[in-house]
Amino acid sequence: MTKTSTHQEFEVLDYQDLSTAEQNLILAAKEISKKAYAPYSNFQVGAAVLLEDGTVLKSSNQENVSFPAGVCAEHLVLSYAGANFPETAPNCLALVARKKEEEQWAFVSPCGICRQVINEVENRFNKPIKLLILRPDGRVYSIPGIAKLLPLKFDDLNSK
Ligand code: THU
């Protein structure tokens, strides 16, 4: 039997160790999370994207009474980026979440569909997107690209 490993390690940084642009991206994600429409889960997510030209775009999650019709914050902001800035690659995506009316930030990590969405955008621009995910302890996962969150990812219909 042959085995292969997909073990991953994740870098955890103090907020102060982020660049100013990255700190601002986390702040933008925190700010937009307050505008979440999340009456069913009360889980308010904020995502902010930094494009390569310095543009910052933000979105919160938008839920629906028919739950699968809801849209995650990072899916929404990446779709907006692709629709409005089709020539401009996203460099970095910050993600934060907290339960409504709670002080502490929650653990959050992109769902499977969002991982595939992030992968598509990376492939579209042939460039990894750095993911910054705020942890409940205030530190930040810094993940150099979606490959770390999506082992054995599917992205080529014609590979042999
Ligand atoms: N959600 C996001 O927006 N992004 C994530 O990374 C995780 C989950 C949303 C979906 C739903 O509106 C709520 O959080 C609870 O799952």
Side-chain angles (χ1 to χ4, degrees):
M1 192 207 300
T2 306
K3 289 187 179 178
T4 185
S5 169
T6 59
H7 176 75
Q8 303 289 353
E9 288 184 330
F10 296 99
E11 192 176 27
V12 181
L13 299 177
D14 287 331
Y15 179 75
Q16 293 85 340
D17 293 333
L18 300 176
S19 70
T20 304
E22 290 171 348
Q23 290 185 2
N24 287 339
L25 207 59
I26 295 273
L27 292 179
K30 285 181 170 178
E31 196 56 38
I32 201 69
S33 72
K34 295 178 193 159
K35 296 188 177 173
Y37 176 66
Y40 306 105
S41 72
N42 283 327
F43 196 67
Q44 301 188 297
V45 185
V49 164
L50 176 65
L51 303 186
E52 62 186 355
D53 67 356
T55 303
V56 172
L57 303 171
K58 303 176 281 184
S59 186
S60 58
N61 53 328
Q62 300 293 309
E63 298 186 344
N64 192 287
V65 65
S66 173
F67 291 1
V71 189
C72 289
E74 58 272 54
H75 191 162
L76 203 47
V77 77
L78 286 173
S79 295
Y80 184 87
N84 290 278
F85 300 86
E87 312 293 342
T88 316
N91 277 350
C92 187
L93 183 146
L95 188 64
V96 310
R98 69 175 159 193
K99 272 290 186 84
K100 195 173 182 182
E101 273 145 33
E102 280 185 12
E103 190 68 29
Q104 202 189 7
W105 295 94
F107 176 81
V108 64
S109 184
C111 76
I113 290 175
C114 285
R115 290 175 194 216
Q116 195 67 32
V117 168
I118 295 165
N119 182 54
E120 189 71 24
V121 179
E122 288 193 358
N123 289 342
R124 177 175 179 176
F125 293 98
N126 198 22
K127 194 173 188 184
I129 300 173
K130 187 194 269 194
L131 308 173
L132 300 173
I133 303 178
L134 184 66
R135 297 163 27 125
D137 65 3
R139 303 181 83 201
V140 176
Y141 286 114
S142 176
I143 303 170
I146 199 62
K148 287 230 172 219
L149 292 185
L150 207 50
L152 293 180
K153 62 194 181 66
F154 173 64
D155 52 16
D156 188 347
L157 290 175
N158 298 308
S159 74
K160 300 215 166 66

